[in-house]
Amino acid sequence: MKVNQCPRVSRLSILPRTYIFCIVLSVLLFSGNIATAEEPIQGTTPQEALPQNTLVQHNSPEPSAERTDFVISLDAFYSHKDDKDGDSLSDGGGLNGMLGMGKRLKDRLTFMLIYTGSYNNSGDYYSDLVGPRERTEYQSHTITPMLKYDFGENDRYSLTPSIFYTRTYNKDVGGGGWDDGLYNYRDKGGDLDFKVRGMGYGEKDGDLMLGLQYYKREYTNYESLLDLATGIGIEEDERDYDGILGRIGYNWGYNIGFSWSADYYLLYKKLEGKKVVGSDGVLNGDEQEDYLHNLELWFWYVPDTQPGLRFGLALNGRLNRSNQNYYDGLGTTLPGDDVFLPDFYDFNSYGIRPSISYLLPMLPLTTTITYTYQKLDYTDRLAQDSEGSYKNEEQDETQNGVNLRLFYDLTGLLNVRPRWQVGIYGRWQYLKVDSNNDDESVYRYDREEYEYTAGMSFRY
């Protein structure tokens, strides 16, 4: 279930932090992480880590010009992972935090500054677009200053320019410090987002969001294997790229009844340091270009007779197209056994995630259960057997997962201030990943594991 609506209330009766909190929800949505009542199941499907600040604005009241207001969000958790045989995989925890401030500069102009950060030392997997890599620790930090300008009748339109800077750090299983992570990256860029309110139909509200973003990503530690072998510097900074992302989104509905939301983006990547390899294994001088299409659809239903019950359904589809190929010399000097794989990075992916959430009428306890299915098909990449030989079939992968989450709201019990929200939660998660690629000399394609998490959340 997707959180995509903020309360429609009088502009004069709301303090700035409510406005900022709605903005922060939008930040999380547009960074590629679906805002759900449960945390998303993590698989290994290749997924471009989008910049974390890209905005889709939602309905929100205007802050007051009388003072600067702040909003704080913090989640702390402990987790334990076991594999299918009951062997312990990892113990650890993490933090996810956000600090935002907002100030009305003029009647229709608002300045906001948002910091988001995360830390995890429970171990997880991420994709390097070839296979899943394991890391022991991860942290990310993003700072985003932005301006929001409202115009038109009843402030129906809004325009939000912003700039941002991100730093990420990885500790891979091979060891090393924070500054040694092979896939540490830095993002610098800017956004321009446009929103139109009052685009609904029937008796419900609708909002249309458009966004355009440019950013530069730099992998500070990544070095080309070709450059290391030759010392010539042919593919210097081969992972770095310029990205242009265009996005369109639409929300329709409200708190009761049926609602839906759609979000599509197209990401274009230009890798100036990476050359395209030809069928003869020689770089042809063309620069690598990638196009990633992503479509997300969310549907949810809240019965008017049972407002604590919520049914959700999320659908997603993803297509990646690249002009890059792959030439495998198989570690020998004999050209006769070399394998050329055209369009190595092209894939199609689709998934479905139904969910049910229920808030007990006499107890502030919310239970959410989610099932996730995700399928990945490479269009031309061949799978390999356990010895590394290529099969006569394209590589594919299937993920199945179940997520059960309990959240208990302690706000009333602790008798804290109305603007505070404090809660504790527990989660059980099952994930099974199956691939027809049996060569796990570098990557681990198949796994089946259970994760148990306990945490506390704080909002102000």
Side-chain angles (χ1 to χ4, degrees), residues 46-50 129 215 241 244-246 264-269 289-295 317-322 345 347-349:
Q47 179 169 324
E48 184 67 33
L50 297 181
L129 303 183
Y215 65 100
Y241 69 86
I244 300 176
L245 188 147
Y264 166 79
Y265 70 77
L266 169 62
L267 172 63
Y268 167 73
K269 295 166 54 180
E289 296 179 310
D290 298 343
Y291 295 86
L292 176 62
H293 303 263
N294 189 86
L295 176 64
R318 175 170 296 191
L319 286 80
N320 191 75
R321 296 296 181 264
S322 174
Y345 295 97
F347 67 81
N348 303 324
S349 176

PDB file of all heavy atoms in Angstrom, residues 46-50 129 215 241 244-246 264-269 289-295 317-322 345 347-349:
ATOM      1  N   PRO A  46      18.771  -6.343 -11.427  1.00  0.00           N
ATOM      2  CA  PRO A  46      19.533  -5.125 -11.716  1.00  0.00           C
ATOM      3  C   PRO A  46      18.634  -3.894 -11.607  1.00  0.00           C
ATOM      4  O   PRO A  46      17.586  -3.823 -12.229  1.00  0.00           O
ATOM      5  CB  PRO A  46      20.003  -5.338 -13.159  1.00  0.00           C
ATOM      6  CG  PRO A  46      20.044  -6.810 -13.327  1.00  0.00           C
ATOM      7  CD  PRO A  46      18.914  -7.341 -12.485  1.00  0.00           C
ATOM      8  N   GLN A  47      19.062  -2.961 -10.810  1.00  0.00           N
ATOM      9  CA  GLN A  47      18.245  -1.769 -10.571  1.00  0.00           C
ATOM     10  C   GLN A  47      19.153  -0.576 -10.409  1.00  0.00           C
ATOM     11  O   GLN A  47      20.007  -0.545  -9.523  1.00  0.00           O
ATOM     12  CB  GLN A  47      17.391  -1.958  -9.310  1.00  0.00           C
ATOM     13  CG  GLN A  47      16.533  -0.740  -8.989  1.00  0.00           C
ATOM     14  CD  GLN A  47      15.519  -1.038  -7.920  1.00  0.00           C
ATOM     15  OE1 GLN A  47      14.974  -2.126  -7.867  1.00  0.00           O
ATOM     16  NE2 GLN A  47      15.256  -0.073  -7.074  1.00  0.00           N
ATOM     17  N   GLU A  48      18.986   0.382 -11.283  1.00  0.00           N
ATOM     18  CA  GLU A  48      19.793   1.592 -11.182  1.00  0.00           C
ATOM     19  C   GLU A  48      19.413   2.346  -9.915  1.00  0.00           C
ATOM     20  O   GLU A  48      18.239   2.607  -9.654  1.00  0.00           O
ATOM     21  CB  GLU A  48      19.547   2.474 -12.399  1.00  0.00           C
ATOM     22  CG  GLU A  48      20.411   3.711 -12.418  1.00  0.00           C
ATOM     23  CD  GLU A  48      21.874   3.378 -12.601  1.00  0.00           C
ATOM     24  OE1 GLU A  48      22.175   2.387 -13.292  1.00  0.00           O
ATOM     25  OE2 GLU A  48      22.704   4.108 -12.059  1.00  0.00           O
ATOM     26  N   ALA A  49      20.415   2.630  -9.078  1.00  0.00           N
ATOM     27  CA  ALA A  49      20.181   3.403  -7.867  1.00  0.00           C
ATOM     28  C   ALA A  49      19.954   4.858  -8.261  1.00  0.00           C
ATOM     29  O   ALA A  49      20.879   5.573  -8.595  1.00  0.00           O
ATOM     30  CB  ALA A  49      21.361   3.281  -6.917  1.00  0.00           C
ATOM     31  N   LEU A  50      18.697   5.281  -8.255  1.00  0.00           N
ATOM     32  CA  LEU A  50      18.370   6.631  -8.686  1.00  0.00           C
ATOM     33  C   LEU A  50      18.791   7.641  -7.638  1.00  0.00           C
ATOM     34  O   LEU A  50      18.876   7.332  -6.450  1.00  0.00           O
ATOM     35  CB  LEU A  50      16.869   6.750  -8.936  1.00  0.00           C
ATOM     36  CG  LEU A  50      16.295   5.868 -10.046  1.00  0.00           C
ATOM     37  CD1 LEU A  50      14.814   6.130 -10.175  1.00  0.00           C
ATOM     38  CD2 LEU A  50      17.000   6.100 -11.364  1.00  0.00           C
ATOM     39  N   LEU A 129      25.038  -4.750 -12.065  1.00  0.00           N
ATOM     40  CA  LEU A 129      24.484  -4.888 -13.406  1.00  0.00           C
ATOM     41  C   LEU A 129      25.002  -6.129 -14.132  1.00  0.00           C
ATOM     42  O   LEU A 129      24.607  -6.396 -15.262  1.00  0.00           O
ATOM     43  CB  LEU A 129      24.735  -3.638 -14.263  1.00  0.00           C
ATOM     44  CG  LEU A 129      24.198  -2.334 -13.663  1.00  0.00           C
ATOM     45  CD1 LEU A 129      24.422  -1.178 -14.624  1.00  0.00           C
ATOM     46  CD2 LEU A 129      22.726  -2.463 -13.307  1.00  0.00           C
ATOM     47  N   TYR A 215      22.005  14.637 -13.612  1.00  0.00           N
ATOM     48  CA  TYR A 215      22.988  14.415 -12.562  1.00  0.00           C
ATOM     49  C   TYR A 215      24.233  13.750 -13.140  1.00  0.00           C
ATOM     50  O   TYR A 215      24.205  13.129 -14.194  1.00  0.00           O
ATOM     51  CB  TYR A 215      22.419  13.559 -11.423  1.00  0.00           C
ATOM     52  CG  TYR A 215      22.059  12.137 -11.802  1.00  0.00           C
ATOM     53  CD1 TYR A 215      22.917  11.081 -11.496  1.00  0.00           C
ATOM     54  CD2 TYR A 215      20.850  11.844 -12.438  1.00  0.00           C
ATOM     55  CE1 TYR A 215      22.586   9.770 -11.821  1.00  0.00           C
ATOM     56  CE2 TYR A 215      20.516  10.542 -12.757  1.00  0.00           C
ATOM     57  CZ  TYR A 215      21.383   9.511 -12.441  1.00  0.00           C
ATOM     58  OH  TYR A 215      21.049   8.219 -12.774  1.00  0.00           O
ATOM     59  N   TYR A 241      29.064   8.348 -15.324  1.00  0.00           N
ATOM     60  CA  TYR A 241      28.136   8.687 -16.406  1.00  0.00           C
ATOM     61  C   TYR A 241      27.362   9.953 -16.102  1.00  0.00           C
ATOM     62  O   TYR A 241      27.261  10.395 -14.961  1.00  0.00           O
ATOM     63  CB  TYR A 241      27.174   7.529 -16.683  1.00  0.00           C
ATOM     64  CG  TYR A 241      26.152   7.259 -15.598  1.00  0.00           C
ATOM     65  CD1 TYR A 241      24.944   7.954 -15.555  1.00  0.00           C
ATOM     66  CD2 TYR A 241      26.368   6.275 -14.632  1.00  0.00           C
ATOM     67  CE1 TYR A 241      23.995   7.702 -14.589  1.00  0.00           C
ATOM     68  CE2 TYR A 241      25.427   6.009 -13.665  1.00  0.00           C
ATOM     69  CZ  TYR A 241      24.246   6.722 -13.642  1.00  0.00           C
ATOM     70  OH  TYR A 241      23.307   6.472 -12.670  1.00  0.00           O
ATOM     71  N   ILE A 244      20.218  11.681 -17.493  1.00  0.00           N
ATOM     72  CA  ILE A 244      19.065  12.559 -17.684  1.00  0.00           C
ATOM     73  C   ILE A 244      17.818  11.727 -17.434  1.00  0.00           C
ATOM     74  O   ILE A 244      17.619  10.678 -18.062  1.00  0.00           O
ATOM     75  CB  ILE A 244      19.019  13.155 -19.098  1.00  0.00           C
ATOM     76  CG1 ILE A 244      20.279  13.989 -19.357  1.00  0.00           C
ATOM     77  CG2 ILE A 244      17.771  14.020 -19.278  1.00  0.00           C
ATOM     78  CD1 ILE A 244      20.358  14.524 -20.771  1.00  0.00           C
ATOM     79  N   LEU A 245      16.990  12.169 -16.507  1.00  0.00           N
ATOM     80  CA  LEU A 245      15.819  11.401 -16.103  1.00  0.00           C
ATOM     81  C   LEU A 245      14.566  12.251 -16.276  1.00  0.00           C
ATOM     82  O   LEU A 245      14.470  13.348 -15.725  1.00  0.00           O
ATOM     83  CB  LEU A 245      15.958  10.939 -14.652  1.00  0.00           C
ATOM     84  CG  LEU A 245      14.904   9.973 -14.123  1.00  0.00           C
ATOM     85  CD1 LEU A 245      15.540   9.017 -13.105  1.00  0.00           C
ATOM     86  CD2 LEU A 245      13.749  10.712 -13.455  1.00  0.00           C
ATOM     87  N   GLY A 246      13.621  11.750 -17.063  1.00  0.00           N
ATOM     88  CA  GLY A 246      12.322  12.394 -17.216  1.00  0.00           C
ATOM     89  C   GLY A 246      11.245  11.544 -16.578  1.00  0.00           C
ATOM     90  O   GLY A 246      11.288  10.314 -16.661  1.00  0.00           O
ATOM     91  N   TYR A 264       5.865   6.797 -14.212  1.00  0.00           N
ATOM     92  CA  TYR A 264       6.742   6.319 -15.288  1.00  0.00           C
ATOM     93  C   TYR A 264       7.963   7.232 -15.368  1.00  0.00           C
ATOM     94  O   TYR A 264       7.849   8.451 -15.252  1.00  0.00           O
ATOM     95  CB  TYR A 264       6.027   6.334 -16.639  1.00  0.00           C
ATOM     96  CG  TYR A 264       6.976   6.171 -17.806  1.00  0.00           C
ATOM     97  CD1 TYR A 264       7.471   4.919 -18.170  1.00  0.00           C
ATOM     98  CD2 TYR A 264       7.408   7.284 -18.531  1.00  0.00           C
ATOM     99  CE1 TYR A 264       8.356   4.772 -19.227  1.00  0.00           C
ATOM    100  CE2 TYR A 264       8.301   7.151 -19.582  1.00  0.00           C
ATOM    101  CZ  TYR A 264       8.769   5.895 -19.930  1.00  0.00           C
ATOM    102  OH  TYR A 264       9.668   5.766 -20.967  1.00  0.00           O
ATOM    103  N   TYR A 265       9.134   6.611 -15.547  1.00  0.00           N
ATOM    104  CA  TYR A 265      10.311   7.421 -15.814  1.00  0.00           C
ATOM    105  C   TYR A 265      11.174   6.768 -16.883  1.00  0.00           C
ATOM    106  O   TYR A 265      11.154   5.551 -17.080  1.00  0.00           O
ATOM    107  CB  TYR A 265      11.135   7.686 -14.547  1.00  0.00           C
ATOM    108  CG  TYR A 265      11.868   6.495 -13.956  1.00  0.00           C
ATOM    109  CD1 TYR A 265      13.046   6.004 -14.526  1.00  0.00           C
ATOM    110  CD2 TYR A 265      11.406   5.880 -12.793  1.00  0.00           C
ATOM    111  CE1 TYR A 265      13.730   4.933 -13.975  1.00  0.00           C
ATOM    112  CE2 TYR A 265      12.084   4.813 -12.233  1.00  0.00           C
ATOM    113  CZ  TYR A 265      13.246   4.345 -12.829  1.00  0.00           C
ATOM    114  OH  TYR A 265      13.912   3.286 -12.277  1.00  0.00           O
ATOM    115  N   LEU A 266      11.930   7.601 -17.561  1.00  0.00           N
ATOM    116  CA  LEU A 266      12.915   7.167 -18.548  1.00  0.00           C
ATOM    117  C   LEU A 266      14.253   7.756 -18.144  1.00  0.00           C
ATOM    118  O   LEU A 266      14.390   8.978 -18.019  1.00  0.00           O
ATOM    119  CB  LEU A 266      12.534   7.634 -19.950  1.00  0.00           C
ATOM    120  CG  LEU A 266      13.613   7.470 -21.034  1.00  0.00           C
ATOM    121  CD1 LEU A 266      13.969   5.993 -21.222  1.00  0.00           C
ATOM    122  CD2 LEU A 266      13.141   8.075 -22.358  1.00  0.00           C
ATOM    123  N   LEU A 267      15.236   6.881 -17.931  1.00  0.00           N
ATOM    124  CA  LEU A 267      16.581   7.305 -17.573  1.00  0.00           C
ATOM    125  C   LEU A 267      17.523   7.051 -18.744  1.00  0.00           C
ATOM    126  O   LEU A 267      17.624   5.924 -19.244  1.00  0.00           O
ATOM    127  CB  LEU A 267      17.075   6.541 -16.345  1.00  0.00           C
ATOM    128  CG  LEU A 267      18.553   6.749 -15.969  1.00  0.00           C
ATOM    129  CD1 LEU A 267      18.813   8.207 -15.601  1.00  0.00           C
ATOM    130  CD2 LEU A 267      18.957   5.825 -14.832  1.00  0.00           C
ATOM    131  N   TYR A 268      18.194   8.102 -19.182  1.00  0.00           N
ATOM    132  CA  TYR A 268      19.206   7.993 -20.232  1.00  0.00           C
ATOM    133  C   TYR A 268      20.579   8.173 -19.611  1.00  0.00           C
ATOM    134  O   TYR A 268      20.821   9.142 -18.879  1.00  0.00           O
ATOM    135  CB  TYR A 268      18.975   9.053 -21.306  1.00  0.00           C
ATOM    136  CG  TYR A 268      20.139   9.210 -22.269  1.00  0.00           C
ATOM    137  CD1 TYR A 268      20.399   8.234 -23.239  1.00  0.00           C
ATOM    138  CD2 TYR A 268      20.970  10.327 -22.200  1.00  0.00           C
ATOM    139  CE1 TYR A 268      21.465   8.377 -24.114  1.00  0.00           C
ATOM    140  CE2 TYR A 268      22.039  10.476 -23.082  1.00  0.00           C
ATOM    141  CZ  TYR A 268      22.276   9.496 -24.030  1.00  0.00           C
ATOM    142  OH  TYR A 268      23.344   9.627 -24.888  1.00  0.00           O
ATOM    143  N   LYS A 269      21.488   7.247 -19.886  1.00  0.00           N
ATOM    144  CA  LYS A 269      22.837   7.282 -19.328  1.00  0.00           C
ATOM    145  C   LYS A 269      23.855   7.353 -20.465  1.00  0.00           C
ATOM    146  O   LYS A 269      23.784   6.583 -21.419  1.00  0.00           O
ATOM    147  CB  LYS A 269      23.105   6.038 -18.488  1.00  0.00           C
ATOM    148  CG  LYS A 269      22.248   5.909 -17.255  1.00  0.00           C
ATOM    149  CD  LYS A 269      22.332   4.509 -16.656  1.00  0.00           C
ATOM    150  CE  LYS A 269      23.746   4.081 -16.395  1.00  0.00           C
ATOM    151  NZ  LYS A 269      23.817   2.728 -15.810  1.00  0.00           N
ATOM    152  N   GLU A 289      25.726   3.808 -24.264  1.00  0.00           N
ATOM    153  CA  GLU A 289      24.499   4.539 -23.962  1.00  0.00           C
ATOM    154  C   GLU A 289      23.447   3.546 -23.502  1.00  0.00           C
ATOM    155  O   GLU A 289      23.262   2.499 -24.121  1.00  0.00           O
ATOM    156  CB  GLU A 289      23.994   5.299 -25.186  1.00  0.00           C
ATOM    157  CG  GLU A 289      24.926   6.398 -25.664  1.00  0.00           C
ATOM    158  CD  GLU A 289      24.396   7.112 -26.881  1.00  0.00           C
ATOM    159  OE1 GLU A 289      24.013   6.410 -27.848  1.00  0.00           O
ATOM    160  OE2 GLU A 289      24.344   8.344 -26.873  1.00  0.00           O
ATOM    161  N   ASP A 290      22.764   3.877 -22.419  1.00  0.00           N
ATOM    162  CA  ASP A 290      21.736   3.011 -21.856  1.00  0.00           C
ATOM    163  C   ASP A 290      20.422   3.770 -21.741  1.00  0.00           C
ATOM    164  O   ASP A 290      20.406   4.977 -21.456  1.00  0.00           O
ATOM    165  CB  ASP A 290      22.136   2.516 -20.458  1.00  0.00           C
ATOM    166  CG  ASP A 290      23.397   1.672 -20.479  1.00  0.00           C
ATOM    167  OD1 ASP A 290      23.789   1.199 -21.562  1.00  0.00           O
ATOM    168  OD2 ASP A 290      24.000   1.490 -19.395  1.00  0.00           O
ATOM    169  N   TYR A 291      19.326   3.039 -21.925  1.00  0.00           N
ATOM    170  CA  TYR A 291      17.984   3.578 -21.749  1.00  0.00           C
ATOM    171  C   TYR A 291      17.216   2.644 -20.817  1.00  0.00           C
ATOM    172  O   TYR A 291      17.065   1.449 -21.114  1.00  0.00           O
ATOM    173  CB  TYR A 291      17.238   3.687 -23.081  1.00  0.00           C
ATOM    174  CG  TYR A 291      17.838   4.671 -24.051  1.00  0.00           C
ATOM    175  CD1 TYR A 291      18.871   4.294 -24.905  1.00  0.00           C
ATOM    176  CD2 TYR A 291      17.371   5.985 -24.121  1.00  0.00           C
ATOM    177  CE1 TYR A 291      19.426   5.187 -25.804  1.00  0.00           C
ATOM    178  CE2 TYR A 291      17.919   6.893 -25.021  1.00  0.00           C
ATOM    179  CZ  TYR A 291      18.941   6.483 -25.853  1.00  0.00           C
ATOM    180  OH  TYR A 291      19.498   7.387 -26.745  1.00  0.00           O
ATOM    181  N   LEU A 292      16.749   3.172 -19.707  1.00  0.00           N
ATOM    182  CA  LEU A 292      16.004   2.386 -18.735  1.00  0.00           C
ATOM    183  C   LEU A 292      14.592   2.942 -18.621  1.00  0.00           C
ATOM    184  O   LEU A 292      14.393   4.105 -18.245  1.00  0.00           O
ATOM    185  CB  LEU A 292      16.689   2.423 -17.369  1.00  0.00           C
ATOM    186  CG  LEU A 292      15.972   1.707 -16.227  1.00  0.00           C
ATOM    187  CD1 LEU A 292      15.848   0.216 -16.529  1.00  0.00           C
ATOM    188  CD2 LEU A 292      16.708   1.916 -14.903  1.00  0.00           C
ATOM    189  N   HIS A 293      13.592   2.120 -18.962  1.00  0.00           N
ATOM    190  CA  HIS A 293      12.177   2.474 -18.828  1.00  0.00           C
ATOM    191  C   HIS A 293      11.629   1.794 -17.580  1.00  0.00           C
ATOM    192  O   HIS A 293      11.851   0.592 -17.380  1.00  0.00           O
ATOM    193  CB  HIS A 293      11.373   2.021 -20.050  1.00  0.00           C
ATOM    194  CG  HIS A 293      11.866   2.569 -21.346  1.00  0.00           C
ATOM    195  ND1 HIS A 293      11.313   3.689 -21.933  1.00  0.00           N
ATOM    196  CD2 HIS A 293      12.866   2.159 -22.173  1.00  0.00           C
ATOM    197  CE1 HIS A 293      11.947   3.942 -23.073  1.00  0.00           C
ATOM    198  NE2 HIS A 293      12.891   3.034 -23.239  1.00  0.00           N
ATOM    199  N   ASN A 294      10.880   2.530 -16.776  1.00  0.00           N
ATOM    200  CA  ASN A 294      10.312   1.955 -15.561  1.00  0.00           C
ATOM    201  C   ASN A 294       8.878   2.457 -15.368  1.00  0.00           C
ATOM    202  O   ASN A 294       8.616   3.659 -15.418  1.00  0.00           O
ATOM    203  CB  ASN A 294      11.144   2.346 -14.343  1.00  0.00           C
ATOM    204  CG  ASN A 294      10.722   1.612 -13.087  1.00  0.00           C
ATOM    205  OD1 ASN A 294      11.183   0.509 -12.823  1.00  0.00           O
ATOM    206  ND2 ASN A 294       9.851   2.213 -12.296  1.00  0.00           N
ATOM    207  N   LEU A 295       7.945   1.540 -15.163  1.00  0.00           N
ATOM    208  CA  LEU A 295       6.538   1.870 -14.932  1.00  0.00           C
ATOM    209  C   LEU A 295       6.075   1.197 -13.650  1.00  0.00           C
ATOM    210  O   LEU A 295       6.268  -0.008 -13.460  1.00  0.00           O
ATOM    211  CB  LEU A 295       5.665   1.401 -16.100  1.00  0.00           C
ATOM    212  CG  LEU A 295       4.152   1.595 -15.933  1.00  0.00           C
ATOM    213  CD1 LEU A 295       3.806   3.082 -15.842  1.00  0.00           C
ATOM    214  CD2 LEU A 295       3.397   0.922 -17.067  1.00  0.00           C
ATOM    215  N   GLY A 317       6.963  -2.785 -14.165  1.00  0.00           N
ATOM    216  CA  GLY A 317       7.593  -3.293 -15.370  1.00  0.00           C
ATOM    217  C   GLY A 317       8.827  -2.464 -15.676  1.00  0.00           C
ATOM    218  O   GLY A 317       8.831  -1.246 -15.472  1.00  0.00           O
ATOM    219  N   ARG A 318       9.875  -3.117 -16.154  1.00  0.00           N
ATOM    220  CA  ARG A 318      11.143  -2.428 -16.399  1.00  0.00           C
ATOM    221  C   ARG A 318      11.808  -3.009 -17.638  1.00  0.00           C
ATOM    222  O   ARG A 318      11.885  -4.224 -17.807  1.00  0.00           O
ATOM    223  CB  ARG A 318      12.048  -2.573 -15.183  1.00  0.00           C
ATOM    224  CG  ARG A 318      13.429  -2.000 -15.373  1.00  0.00           C
ATOM    225  CD  ARG A 318      14.164  -1.975 -14.069  1.00  0.00           C
ATOM    226  NE  ARG A 318      13.507  -1.083 -13.120  1.00  0.00           N
ATOM    227  CZ  ARG A 318      14.039  -0.709 -11.967  1.00  0.00           C
ATOM    228  NH1 ARG A 318      15.226  -1.151 -11.626  1.00  0.00           N
ATOM    229  NH2 ARG A 318      13.395   0.101 -11.167  1.00  0.00           N
ATOM    230  N   LEU A 319      12.279  -2.127 -18.523  1.00  0.00           N
ATOM    231  CA  LEU A 319      13.011  -2.518 -19.726  1.00  0.00           C
ATOM    232  C   LEU A 319      14.316  -1.746 -19.775  1.00  0.00           C
ATOM    233  O   LEU A 319      14.319  -0.517 -19.634  1.00  0.00           O
ATOM    234  CB  LEU A 319      12.211  -2.227 -21.003  1.00  0.00           C
ATOM    235  CG  LEU A 319      11.031  -3.123 -21.344  1.00  0.00           C
ATOM    236  CD1 LEU A 319       9.806  -2.719 -20.546  1.00  0.00           C
ATOM    237  CD2 LEU A 319      10.720  -3.033 -22.828  1.00  0.00           C
ATOM    238  N   ASN A 320      15.404  -2.457 -19.958  1.00  0.00           N
ATOM    239  CA  ASN A 320      16.709  -1.816 -20.100  1.00  0.00           C
ATOM    240  C   ASN A 320      17.271  -2.148 -21.474  1.00  0.00           C
ATOM    241  O   ASN A 320      17.287  -3.310 -21.894  1.00  0.00           O
ATOM    242  CB  ASN A 320      17.674  -2.304 -19.023  1.00  0.00           C
ATOM    243  CG  ASN A 320      18.939  -1.469 -18.982  1.00  0.00           C
ATOM    244  OD1 ASN A 320      18.932  -0.347 -18.494  1.00  0.00           O
ATOM    245  ND2 ASN A 320      20.037  -2.010 -19.495  1.00  0.00           N
ATOM    246  N   ARG A 321      17.707  -1.108 -22.194  1.00  0.00           N
ATOM    247  CA  ARG A 321      18.300  -1.296 -23.515  1.00  0.00           C
ATOM    248  C   ARG A 321      19.633  -0.548 -23.557  1.00  0.00           C
ATOM    249  O   ARG A 321      19.717   0.610 -23.169  1.00  0.00           O
ATOM    250  CB  ARG A 321      17.366  -0.775 -24.612  1.00  0.00           C
ATOM    251  CG  ARG A 321      16.046  -1.534 -24.695  1.00  0.00           C
ATOM    252  CD  ARG A 321      16.267  -2.994 -25.089  1.00  0.00           C
ATOM    253  NE  ARG A 321      15.027  -3.740 -25.206  1.00  0.00           N
ATOM    254  CZ  ARG A 321      14.515  -4.504 -24.238  1.00  0.00           C
ATOM    255  NH1 ARG A 321      15.142  -4.583 -23.068  1.00  0.00           N
ATOM    256  NH2 ARG A 321      13.403  -5.167 -24.426  1.00  0.00           N
ATOM    257  N   SER A 322      20.668  -1.246 -24.039  1.00  0.00           N
ATOM    258  CA  SER A 322      22.013  -0.701 -24.072  1.00  0.00           C
ATOM    259  C   SER A 322      22.688  -1.100 -25.379  1.00  0.00           C
ATOM    260  O   SER A 322      22.385  -2.153 -25.955  1.00  0.00           O
ATOM    261  CB  SER A 322      22.826  -1.229 -22.877  1.00  0.00           C
ATOM    262  OG  SER A 322      24.184  -0.833 -22.958  1.00  0.00           O
ATOM    263  N   TYR A 345      23.478  -6.277 -21.707  1.00  0.00           N
ATOM    264  CA  TYR A 345      22.791  -5.668 -20.570  1.00  0.00           C
ATOM    265  C   TYR A 345      21.289  -5.487 -20.789  1.00  0.00           C
ATOM    266  O   TYR A 345      20.605  -4.965 -19.910  1.00  0.00           O
ATOM    267  CB  TYR A 345      23.430  -4.315 -20.245  1.00  0.00           C
ATOM    268  CG  TYR A 345      24.855  -4.441 -19.764  1.00  0.00           C
ATOM    269  CD1 TYR A 345      25.924  -4.275 -20.642  1.00  0.00           C
ATOM    270  CD2 TYR A 345      25.134  -4.753 -18.442  1.00  0.00           C
ATOM    271  CE1 TYR A 345      27.232  -4.404 -20.204  1.00  0.00           C
ATOM    272  CE2 TYR A 345      26.435  -4.882 -17.990  1.00  0.00           C
ATOM    273  CZ  TYR A 345      27.481  -4.711 -18.883  1.00  0.00           C
ATOM    274  OH  TYR A 345      28.780  -4.851 -18.449  1.00  0.00           O
ATOM    275  N   PHE A 347      17.490  -6.288 -20.705  1.00  0.00           N
ATOM    276  CA  PHE A 347      16.623  -7.193 -19.958  1.00  0.00           C
ATOM    277  C   PHE A 347      15.222  -6.621 -19.858  1.00  0.00           C
ATOM    278  O   PHE A 347      14.991  -5.419 -20.007  1.00  0.00           O
ATOM    279  CB  PHE A 347      17.179  -7.479 -18.557  1.00  0.00           C
ATOM    280  CG  PHE A 347      17.195  -6.294 -17.627  1.00  0.00           C
ATOM    281  CD1 PHE A 347      16.051  -5.885 -16.939  1.00  0.00           C
ATOM    282  CD2 PHE A 347      18.369  -5.577 -17.416  1.00  0.00           C
ATOM    283  CE1 PHE A 347      16.074  -4.795 -16.083  1.00  0.00           C
ATOM    284  CE2 PHE A 347      18.401  -4.484 -16.556  1.00  0.00           C
ATOM    285  CZ  PHE A 347      17.255  -4.104 -15.897  1.00  0.00           C
ATOM    286  N   ASN A 348      14.268  -7.506 -19.576  1.00  0.00           N
ATOM    287  CA  ASN A 348      12.889  -7.164 -19.258  1.00  0.00           C
ATOM    288  C   ASN A 348      12.592  -7.704 -17.867  1.00  0.00           C
ATOM    289  O   ASN A 348      12.976  -8.829 -17.533  1.00  0.00           O
ATOM    290  CB  ASN A 348      11.902  -7.769 -20.260  1.00  0.00           C
ATOM    291  CG  ASN A 348      12.199  -7.350 -21.688  1.00  0.00           C
ATOM    292  OD1 ASN A 348      12.611  -6.219 -21.941  1.00  0.00           O
ATOM    293  ND2 ASN A 348      11.996  -8.259 -22.627  1.00  0.00           N
ATOM    294  N   SER A 349      11.896  -6.913 -17.068  1.00  0.00           N
ATOM    295  CA  SER A 349      11.563  -7.333 -15.715  1.00  0.00           C
ATOM    296  C   SER A 349      10.138  -6.904 -15.387  1.00  0.00           C
ATOM    297  O   SER A 349       9.700  -5.833 -15.798  1.00  0.00           O
ATOM    298  CB  SER A 349      12.552  -6.725 -14.712  1.00  0.00           C
ATOM    299  OG  SER A 349      12.193  -7.044 -13.378  1.00  0.00           O
TER     300      SER A 349
END
